[in-house]
């Protein structure tokens, strides 16, 4: 069990939870969260939004979409929550300048990716593109760590993305956005995409989050959630 430090709404239906936790976690990994006994049956997979090792604070940005996340949103400071993880393979450590593209709740795993990259490569540049359907949220922390942040509301964020010589791209968001991003970025640039899928076990056992890849079916929870663009087969969606 972990203890919640804070849990508050950053926008209607969007919450940020900060939990006391120490350990090793890579950008792009996720935890299975649970704050109830039997109902609902399954824990909820939530990606790591940010991590401060010095203060021992792990942050999750999540959207209330069902019974589990509704129960999570009702928790407060000093309440207990079960954390199982970290799970999955995160974003790779790249040494080029970085372009980061997030759509809606897809921004969640990208803040820690940017913060970790800038901590390791202080002279490298990070340009962040954030796209929202209606209202923006969670932008200020990106402004604090990235070299440039471009926000688009109500448009198509991938149409704003510019990738310069030698840059690597990280992306997370709805499948349609990531398919557009994969198609828009020239092949000479590496592109790593964090997939969003419904998960049950979080450990690759139930096969509920399978995706087609050039090497056969893989599990988003155990083999991902981050995949290199060329691994994925987009036919019929993911």
């Amino acid at each position: 069990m972990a203890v919640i430090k804070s849990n508050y709404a950053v926008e209607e239906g969007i919450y940020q939870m900060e939990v006391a936790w120490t350990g090793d976690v890579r950008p792009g990994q996720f935890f299975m969260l649970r704050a109830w006994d039997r109902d609902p049956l399954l824990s909820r997979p939530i990606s790591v939004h940010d991590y401060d090792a010095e203060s021992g604070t792990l942050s999750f940005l999540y959207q209330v979409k069902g019974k589990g996340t509704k129960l999570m949103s009702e928790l407060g400071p000093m309440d207990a929550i079960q954390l199982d993880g970290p799970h999955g393979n995160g974003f790779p450590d790249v040494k080029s300048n970085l372009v980061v593209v997030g759509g809606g709740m897809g921004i969640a795993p990208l803040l820690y990716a940017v913060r970790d990259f800038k901590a390791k490569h202080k002279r490298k540049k990070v340009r962040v593109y954030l796209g929202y359907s209606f209202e923006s949220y969670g932008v200020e922390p990106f402004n604090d760590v990235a070299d440039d942040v471009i926000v688009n509301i109500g448009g198509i964020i991938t149409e704003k993305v510019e990738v310069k010589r030698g840059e690597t791209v990280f992306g997370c968001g709805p499948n349609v956005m990531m398919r557009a991003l994969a198609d828009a970025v020239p092949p000479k640039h590496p592109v790593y995409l964090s997939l969003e899928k419904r998960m049950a076990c979080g450990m690759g056992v139930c096969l509920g989050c399978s995706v087609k890849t050039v090497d056969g079916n893989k599990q988003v929870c155990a083999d991902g959630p981050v995949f290199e663009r060329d691994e994925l087969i987009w036919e019929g969606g993911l």
Side-chain angles (χ1 to χ4, degrees), residues 119-197:
K120 293 176 178 175
H121 311 289
K122 299 186 187 311
R123 296 185 179 181
K124 296 295 182 181
K125 303 293 184 182
V126 182
R127 188 168 58 263
V128 175
Y129 296 85
L130 303 176
Y132 302 89
S133 298
F134 303 105
E135 299 289 338
S136 64
Y137 48 84
V139 176
E140 187 173 340
F142 284 97
N143 286 327
D144 292 339
V145 294
D147 296 280
D148 194 12
V149 179
I150 298 94
V151 177
N152 183 266
I153 299 173
I156 301 174
I157 191 62
T158 51
E159 293 181 351
K160 306 288 184 182
V161 174
E162 180 184 8
V163 183
K164 301 176 183 177
R165 183 177 179 180
E167 292 180 329
T168 298
V169 179
F170 289 175
C172 186
N175 283 348
V176 63
M177 186 212 85
M178 292 205 284
R179 175 67 187 273
L181 182 64
D183 290 343
V185 178
K188 60 184 177 182
H189 299 279
V191 177
Y192 296 91
L193 302 171
S194 180
L195 303 186
E196 297 177 326
K197 275 280 190 178

Side-chain angles (χ1 to χ4, degrees), residues 203-237:
M203 297 181 291
V205 176
C206 70
L207 307 182
C209 58
S210 297
V211 291
K212 293 181 179 178
T213 76
V214 295
D215 296 317
N217 285 352
K218 290 191 175 183
Q219 311 311 312
V220 172
C221 63
D223 300 309
V226 178
F227 292 87
E228 207 278 330
R229 164 179 55 182
D230 295 337
E231 293 182 77
L232 299 169
I233 297 176
W234 296 92
E235 294 175 357

Side-chain angles (χ1 to χ4, degrees), residues 16 27 48-51 59 61 91 100 106-117 130 138-146:
Q16 181 160 333
V48 173
H49 181 51
D50 205 358
Y51 178 52
S59 300
L61 186 70
F91 289 104
V100 173
I107 74 167
L110 299 177
L111 177 61
Y112 184 40
V114 173
R115 190 183 301 284
D116 182 74
F117 177 83
L130 303 176
V139 176
E140 187 173 340
F142 284 97
N143 286 327
D144 292 339
V145 294

